[in-house]
Amino acid sequence: MDNKRELFQVLTRRFGLLNKNCCSVGAIDISTVHSHIIYEIDKQHEPTMQQIAETLAIDVTTFSRQIQTLIKMELVTKSPSLNDKRYYVLALTTQGKFMASAIEASMNNYLDEIFSHMNEFEQETVLRSIKLLNNAMSKSSVCCTPLL
Amino acid sequence: MDNKRELFQVLTRRFGLLNKNCCSVGAIDISTVHSHIIYEIDKQHEPTMQQIAETLAIDVTTFSRQIQTLIKMELVTKSPSLNDKRYYVLALTTQGKFMASAIEASMNNYLDEIFSHMNEFEQETVLRSIKLLNNAMSKSSVCCTPLL
DNA sequence: AAACGATACTTGTAAAATACAAATTAAAAG
DNA sequence: CTTTTAATTTGTATTTTACAAGTATCGTTT
């Protein structure tokens, strides 16, 4: 049973591709990183730059420039915190929220299509397993520690 | 049960990070893409440029330059095919093979550590599920088609 | 309150990754 | 032999990335 690594190699590759494909909505193309940023801003409560950057394990300087891009695309806003002007609070614009749900819908479509190739029982098993795996990874000392 | 997307979002993110971390062997840093290229050259039988590029869904022009880098790093060789001089056959150098097994070992370490947080039954279930998932993805019409 | 260091974020710069269009070389077809 | 098709490379331009250094704000110490 030591094709473990092979299984994961293929899985990561497929996910990478899935992520590349999934994120063009209408005329606008969204990169993988951008989709993750949008996803997290949508999810977290009034997050700051650093919070999102840390969650996604992106270098803050890189992140700063990516946010600038997303602001230019009018998907994200950045307002200085009232308590502490060093912080900026990130939020999605109306367009950004629309984009978030469009990506969500697109992703769900992909996933539903993929899951449609399995029977009910297999689907349940796979979902439960991914939960188990995520959990195990969150406990891991060697990787993935900062991520949600 | 519609946190499906959330589960996958986190999973892909973790895998991305895992892939980023796993690939520095000794003093040499190997990017995710490079590790995938090395993995595939090792696996396939006398592969050509296009074969690997297609397997990994990388643009051939990008791939051409990446191979140039790997050749400079003395991890890969590229020899014109005897039958058809348009083709180049890719192979790993001795160092490249060493690198491949070093990455393999490192990846196995990561995976073993992650799996150590689950019991025997869970481990079996997760592995079986990933097999199921890979299979479902390979049948999918909406994504991931070219990949292995 | 002035000075200090710490914190959050940005810019300078330079390297690497990416991809389209066009060029090159070699085989296959006519 | 000419034309077409195929495999790969180069020209070029954009994007991504990250280290080092910078700016601005806060908290703390004196």
Side-chain angles (χ1 to χ4, degrees):
Chain A
M1 185 80 52
D2 235 337
N3 49 351
K4 206 192 287 180
R5 198 251 167 147
E6 186 180 345
L7 286 174
F8 275 84
Q9 190 80 5
V10 174
L11 191 63
T12 56
R13 193 186 299 162
R14 289 235 170 82
F15 279 167
L17 193 69
L18 196 150
N19 252 343
K20 239 181 223 168
N21 283 356
C22 83
C23 300
S24 69
V25 175
I28 306 173
D29 261 13
I30 296 285
S31 73
T32 304
V33 181
H34 284 172
S35 90
H36 277 272
I37 294 173
I38 290 171
Y39 179 86
E40 279 303 321
I41 293 178
D42 201 24
K43 190 175 178 185
Q44 294 189 25
H45 176 66
E46 300 193 348
T48 66
M49 306 272 296
Q50 222 170 40
Q51 273 171 40
I52 303 287
E54 226 158 77
T55 306
L56 299 175
I58 301 174
D59 185 280
V60 278
T61 71
T62 304
F63 185 74
S64 171
R65 292 198 161 99
Q66 271 160 345
I67 285 295
Q68 283 168 21
T69 308
L70 287 169
I71 289 172
K72 248 177 225 150
M73 294 168 85
E74 301 191 340
L75 296 172
V76 168
T77 58
K78 192 181 79 176
S79 21
S81 165
L82 300 175
N83 317 334
D84 187 333
K85 284 178 199 161
R86 288 172 301 179
Y87 292 87
Y88 286 91
V89 174
L90 299 174
L92 297 183
T93 63
T94 308
Q95 272 190 70
K97 278 174 199 159
F98 179 80
M99 179 61 77
S101 42
I103 294 174
E104 176 94 22
S106 159
M107 272 300 261
N108 281 332
N109 265 353
Y110 275 119
L111 290 173
D112 285 346
E113 204 277 341
I114 289 165
F115 273 69
S116 76
H117 296 285
M118 298 184 280
N119 65 42
E120 190 75 26
F121 175 71
E122 290 171 334
Q123 295 188 19
E124 298 270 338
T125 310
V126 168
L127 278 185
R128 201 154 30 80
S129 291
I130 291 177
K131 230 172 274 183
L132 284 170
L133 189 55
N134 276 342
N135 219 285
M137 280 176 141
S138 74
K139 287 182 194 153
S140 169
S141 55
V142 290
C143 93
C144 325
T145 14
L147 301 181
L148 183 81
Chain B
M1 184 80 55
D2 235 336
N3 49 353
K4 207 192 283 181
R5 199 251 167 147
E6 187 180 345
L7 287 173
F8 276 85
Q9 191 81 5
V10 173
L11 190 64
T12 55
R13 193 187 299 163
R14 288 235 171 82
F15 279 165
L17 195 70
L18 196 151
N19 252 345
K20 240 181 222 168
N21 284 356
C22 85
C23 300
S24 68
V25 175
I28 307 174
D29 261 11
I30 296 284
S31 74
T32 303
V33 181
H34 283 173
S35 88
H36 276 273
I37 294 174
I38 290 172
Y39 179 85
E40 278 303 320
I41 293 178
D42 201 25
K43 190 176 178 186
Q44 293 189 26
H45 176 66
E46 302 193 347
T48 67
M49 305 274 295
Q50 223 172 40
Q51 271 170 42
I52 302 286
E54 227 158 76
T55 306
L56 299 175
I58 302 173
D59 186 278
V60 279
T61 70
T62 304
F63 185 74
S64 170
R65 292 197 161 100
Q66 270 159 346
I67 286 294
Q68 283 168 20
T69 308
L70 288 169
I71 288 171
K72 250 178 223 149
M73 295 167 85
E74 300 190 341
L75 297 172
V76 167
T77 58
K78 193 182 77 176
S79 23
S81 165
L82 300 176
N83 317 335
D84 187 333
K85 283 178 199 160
R86 289 174 303 179
Y87 292 87
Y88 286 90
V89 174
L90 299 173
L92 297 182
T93 63
T94 308
Q95 273 190 68
K97 277 175 199 158
F98 180 80
M99 179 62 77
S101 41
I103 294 174
E104 176 94 22
S106 158
M107 271 299 261
N108 281 332
N109 265 353
Y110 275 119
L111 290 174
D112 286 347
E113 204 277 341
I114 290 165
F115 272 69
S116 76
H117 297 285
M118 298 184 280
N119 66 42
E120 189 75 28
F121 175 71
E122 291 171 333
Q123 295 188 17
E124 299 270 338
T125 310
V126 168
L127 279 185
R128 201 154 31 82
S129 290
I130 292 177
K131 229 172 276 182
L132 284 171
L133 190 55
N134 276 342
N135 220 285
M137 280 176 141
S138 73
K139 285 181 195 157
S140 169
S141 55
V142 289
C143 95
C144 322
T145 15
L147 302 180
L148 184 83

